[in-house]
Amino acid sequence: MRTLTATLLLISLVSAAGALPAPPPLDHAPLVRERAATYLKPDDLVLGVEIAGDARAYPLSILERHAVANDTIDRIPVAVAWCRPCGSAVAYRTGTPKGTLTLAASGKVRDGDALLVDRQTGTLWKQLTGTPVEGPLAGSGIQLQPLPVVLTTWTRWFQSHLESRVLAPETAAKEAEKTAAAQPGDEPAGPWVYGVTVGGATKAYPVDLVARLGVIDDEIGGRPVVVVADPGADPKHRTIRVYDRGDRVFSRSGHSFLGASFVTDQGGRPWKIGEDALTTPDGQKRPRIPGKLAVQGVWGAAYPGTPLYAEPKPAGGGGPP
């Protein structure tokens, strides 16, 4: 039950001296195709990642028992992490100048952000920022590089990623089940935000507002971006993507084809919403920018002073603030 505010949740995490459960990570777990994924219901939530056409789905029902899934997607080593009490969903490249890292939940919290630990050096990393804060790599200048990830339902992900593979069902270890049961609450306390960093500048977008508006044309650090909610998705799925919009101005589009959704630019041209870019039928592309999902209280502690997007007032000063 959602009985805590985001602020109280943050206080409870910090005051517990970082005493979050530290479940065992998944390391290159088996994957199956859709026809074998009979254990998933259509509305089961998954974290979706695609690199160069190699699409993967990570069901929250499995991630909640492990917190981190280490994997290789299109030959790129990655880690997908989910912290239920923080509400944070991230994906990182784990190849670094010091070698490939294998990540796990550490059970510790710093500045409201869950800490990951790498198996190779024992360094602790902030989950939301990808910054090393304690251990051999702290102060090294190495930063985990984020990858685009979405939180959506299994059905919506598969409809637009027909070749996607998904984590196979598992017989969870008793210790993994025990740590999952120890997670506080069914869901993080909201509100939720989707945060984006561009050129050193960071901005957070309220998920409910993005879901209501559908498309937001904005700038972050002087770079034009467009924030897009998955058309037709239940707002609770929090499926948001951000792209470099260049000189384009985008708006909602009712157009869809074979499970794909579109936005429309100022000239009426449709752009397909994809995991790596917005694309036109003639091959023009606007690249995607990685973002991170978290509840607002946790995000504000990890990124203090981050501007929060507010819907502009209509001309004449009327309407909502």
Side-chain angles (χ1 to χ4, degrees):
M1 298 296 292
R2 294 187 182 183
T3 57
L4 299 175
T5 64
T7 301
L8 289 176
L9 173 64
L10 178 59
I11 291 172
S12 70
L13 292 177
V14 176
S15 64
L20 289 174
L26 286 171
D27 293 333
H28 303 280
L31 301 161
V32 297
R33 299 287 184 182
E34 183 271 342
R35 63 182 175 274
T38 55
Y39 52 96
L40 290 177
K41 297 188 292 293
D43 288 338
D44 281 353
L45 293 176
V46 302
L47 295 184
V49 181
E50 180 188 336
I51 301 176
D54 189 354
R56 307 286 174 86
Y58 301 87
L60 293 197
S61 59
I62 296 177
L63 279 181
E64 285 177 352
R65 295 196 288 269
H66 298 275
V68 178
N70 295 288
D71 206 349
T72 301
I73 305 178
D74 189 45
R75 298 182 297 279
I76 295 173
V78 305
V80 180
W82 165 249
C83 172
R84 183 168 70 180
C86 307
S88 58
V90 297
Y92 289 112
R93 291 175 178 258
T94 51
T96 75
K98 297 295 185 180
T100 299
L101 304 179
T102 305
L103 300 180
S106 72
K108 299 180 180 180
V109 175
R110 180 171 296 184
D111 301 325
D113 194 357
L115 297 183
L116 304 174
V117 61
D118 73 70
R119 188 176 295 157
Q120 285 69 27
T121 73
T123 298
L124 296 175
W125 304 77
K126 284 190 173 183
Q127 179 163 314
L128 272 177
T129 66
T131 305
V133 294
E134 184 180 322
L137 298 184
S140 66
I142 295 174
Q143 192 95 359
L144 296 177
Q145 297 303 305
L147 290 165
V149 60
V150 294
L151 175 60
T152 186
T153 65
W154 167 235
T155 292
R156 291 192 69 84
W157 177 258
F158 175 70
Q159 284 175 342
S160 55
H161 303 82
L162 296 179
E163 297 302 315
S164 180
R165 289 181 286 171
V166 58
L167 286 179
E170 60 169 3
T171 303
K174 289 185 177 180
E175 189 61 30
E177 292 177 339
K178 192 183 304 179
T179 53
Q183 300 275 1
D186 294 334
E187 278 197 19
W192 294 64
V193 297
Y194 191 82
V196 185
T197 300
V198 176
T202 301
K203 184 177 285 190
Y205 296 84
V207 166
D208 289 346
L209 179 59
V210 179
R212 178 168 61 83
L213 298 178
V215 175
I216 295 174
D217 293 299
D218 198 20
E219 291 187 358
I220 303 176
R223 182 175 174 181
V225 301
V226 58
V227 184
V228 181
D230 197 9
D234 187 324
K236 72 179 182 180
H237 299 157
R238 307 174 184 102
T239 307
I240 295 174
R241 300 173 178 90
V242 179
Y243 304 90
D244 182 341
R245 65 180 172 90
D247 60 355
R248 302 288 88 188
V249 176
F250 291 96
S251 59
R252 291 177 187 262
S253 170
H255 182 62
S256 63
F257 181 71
L258 294 178
S261 299
F262 295 78
V263 292
T264 302
D265 66 17
Q266 68 268 40
R269 173 178 294 181
W271 294 70
K272 180 183 175 182
I273 298 172
E275 300 308 326
D276 59 346
L278 291 174
T279 57
T280 62
D282 59 0
Q284 294 188 46
K285 293 189 175 184
R286 303 308 312 174
R288 188 167 167 199
I289 301 171
K292 302 168 185 177
L293 180 71
V295 295
Q296 186 173 328
V298 173
W299 179 268
Y303 289 91
T306 299
L308 186 67
Y309 178 84
E311 184 177 2
K313 294 182 178 180

